[in-house]
Amino acid sequence: MQEAQREIRAAHTASTVTVYQAYSPEIGLPAAREGRFPAAWKRDRMTWIKPSFLWMMYRCGWATKEGQETVLAVEIGREGFDWALRNACLSSYAPGVHPDRETWQRELRRSPTRVQWDPERDLRLRPLPYRSLQLGLSGEAARGYADEWTVAIRDVTPLAHEIHALVRRDDLDAARALLPREQPYPAAEELLSNLRP
């Protein structure tokens, strides 16, 4: 089956969607233990959330990069996630979406969230021909994410290491069986109408 070029694929329930982030153990471990982000988590700067587990693995090098040794699965309310999409702007200028660069820049300054579409990854972290959503949250969006939208936080670093070990052994079927089940997110088409270049 042909994958949609730009589609949100995520593990989700009727009320939540799971996104991934990687942190140093000083932030990640307390967050997973308490089920919420600690006071040390900076609510005043942009944070990027990723619904794709394998894109997160690409970004953090299977939880081996410095400052990204703890991978969190953050379950957030769909209401908050949808709000973030509704209030988002593309992170870069797209002529087919924006009438001109100045309009895009104005929109970017006003938007608390940013959307970026990056190549999805396979188990060997090679780029695939379709794109995965990255959602940047700042200002009220970052505060909402940390303090209101978050339902649960799990440390999935052991899962990342287990899947990576299977990939290194070339046991891709066993590795694939452990991946989180990500399906197209049933966001209304209008949520993405201005977010696809």
Side-chain angles (χ1 to χ4, degrees), residues 16 34 44-45 53 71 110 117 121-124 135 158 162:
T16 64
E34 302 298 326
D44 57 349
R45 75 174 215 210
F53 180 82
V71 180
R110 281 196 312 262
W117 297 97
R121 301 285 158 167
D122 67 9
L123 277 164
R124 296 195 189 281
L135 191 55
E162 185 179 1

Side-chain angles (χ1 to χ4, degrees), residues 56-184:
M56 186 71 258
M57 294 307 99
Y58 165 72
R59 180 73 179 81
C60 71
W62 296 102
T64 61
K65 291 184 181 175
E66 188 177 347
Q68 299 185 56
E69 303 92 340
T70 307
V71 180
L72 301 179
V74 183
E75 206 175 341
I76 61 174
R78 279 175 58 168
E79 209 171 275
F81 188 70
D82 290 356
W83 181 92
L85 290 173
R86 211 173 358 265
N87 289 278
C89 175
L90 284 172
S91 62
S92 56
Y93 171 63
V97 175
H98 310 105
D100 52 58
R101 194 171 289 278
E102 293 70 31
T103 304
W104 164 72
Q105 287 172 334
R106 272 195 309 277
E107 194 179 316
L108 192 65
R109 281 193 296 273
R110 281 196 312 262
S111 298
T113 51
R114 295 181 185 179
V115 160
Q116 193 166 297
W117 297 97
D118 293 309
E120 180 58 281
R121 301 285 158 167
D122 67 9
L123 277 164
R124 296 195 189 281
L125 306 185
R126 297 173 300 206
L128 291 168
Y130 53 92
R131 306 232 161 205
S132 178
L133 176 84
Q134 321 305 321
L135 191 55
L137 310 174
S138 65
E140 63 179 311
R143 291 188 295 274
Y145 170 68
D147 301 322
E148 296 167 31
W149 308 346
T150 298
V151 174
I153 301 177
R154 288 176 294 117
D155 181 354
V156 291
T157 313
L159 176 64
H161 291 162
E162 185 179 1
I163 293 173
H164 188 209
L166 290 167
V167 170
R168 283 200 312 259
R169 288 203 301 269
D170 240 7
D171 193 348
L172 298 187
D173 288 339
R176 197 172 290 109
L178 294 178
L179 288 173
R181 195 157 170 251
E182 295 169 3
Q183 300 176 48

Side-chain angles (χ1 to χ4, degrees), residues 1-41:
M1 185 183 83
Q2 178 94 14
E3 297 284 351
Q5 179 62 15
R6 286 177 177 82
E7 181 176 52
I8 300 170
R9 284 170 290 275
H12 56 81
T13 69
S15 59
T16 64
V17 60
T18 299
V19 296
Y20 300 94
Q21 293 192 294
Y23 289 102
S24 67
E26 294 77 28
I27 295 286
L29 295 179
R33 190 172 53 246
E34 302 298 326
R36 60 188 174 83
F37 288 100
W41 191 88

